Amino acid sequence: MPSHSYSNDFLYIVMLPDRKAEKNALIFCAGVNITRFTLITRGLHGLSSNPAIRGLQRVKHGVSSLALSKGATPRAVRGNDCSGIKPAAGTWYAEILRIENAPASLPDEIISFAVISLVEKIITGCCLPISPPDRLLSPEDLQVFLESLCHT
């Protein structure tokens, strides 16, 4: 199973084959650049309730539900399975999840769900009067959209 990825300067969502586990096992690697999102979330939260961090935590739970609905089994995991994915610039917060018995269509579904859901949760968490994109934009187009929110 090949890896699938979506990334820009604000976030990354990567689905990797889990080489340590059985066939059809994936590792969900996701991160948000707190430094970049601070321009959007500034003044709208305390440290423990940053909308980007909280949004990613909630998206991880949503990914677990999506995996279960497709017959896969999500498992909590710790470790360095996602090392080397996080870009060097900025301060990043990351989440990781193992998904066993994943159907071949699941990586693309998870990436689409995770990106759309994360942006929606961050915009909602910041109480911004802006509608999030209703479809998956290219990483570059989403970056332009998020950069426009930095100046709002």
Side-chain angles (χ1 to χ4, degrees):
M1 202 176 274
S3 65
H4 299 260
S5 66
Y6 184 103
S7 67
N8 59 33
D9 292 345
F10 286 86
L11 60 93
Y12 65 85
I13 308 290
V14 178
M15 301 295 301
L16 300 171
D18 185 351
R19 300 193 198 306
K20 297 180 216 168
E22 65 186 61
K23 187 175 148 184
N24 296 333
L26 301 167
I27 299 291
F28 167 78
C29 305
V32 289
N33 186 333
I34 299 167
T35 307
R36 290 301 306 260
F37 274 111
T38 297
L39 295 172
I40 298 169
T41 64
R42 66 188 173 272
L44 300 172
H45 59 85
L47 183 59
S48 64
S49 62
N50 179 307
I53 292 172
R54 187 70 184 125
L56 186 56
Q57 291 167 341
R58 292 178 61 206
V59 164
K60 179 181 169 185
H61 295 297
V63 167
S64 291
S65 294
L66 177 59
L68 285 168
S69 76
K70 302 297 181 175
T73 306
R75 303 249 186 242
V77 63
R78 294 180 191 255
N80 59 357
D81 294 302
C82 298
S83 64
I85 293 175
K86 176 179 69 174
T91 300
W92 290 81
Y93 173 80
E95 289 285 347
I96 183 173
L97 181 71
R98 175 176 287 122
I99 302 170
E100 299 169 352
N101 301 316
S105 63
L106 193 57
D108 290 331
E109 288 181 64
I110 286 176
I111 288 176
S112 182
F113 166 80
V115 172
I116 292 168
S117 182
L118 178 59
V119 172
E120 182 269 328
K121 287 175 185 355
I122 293 169
I123 289 173
T124 300
C126 292
C127 300
L128 296 174
I130 296 171
S131 296
D134 58 356
R135 61 180 175 78
L136 183 63
L137 301 177
S138 71
E140 298 80 16
D141 288 344
L142 181 62
Q143 182 160 322
V144 169
F145 173 78
L146 292 172
E147 286 172 343
S148 74
L149 297 182
C150 292
H151 307 292
T152 302

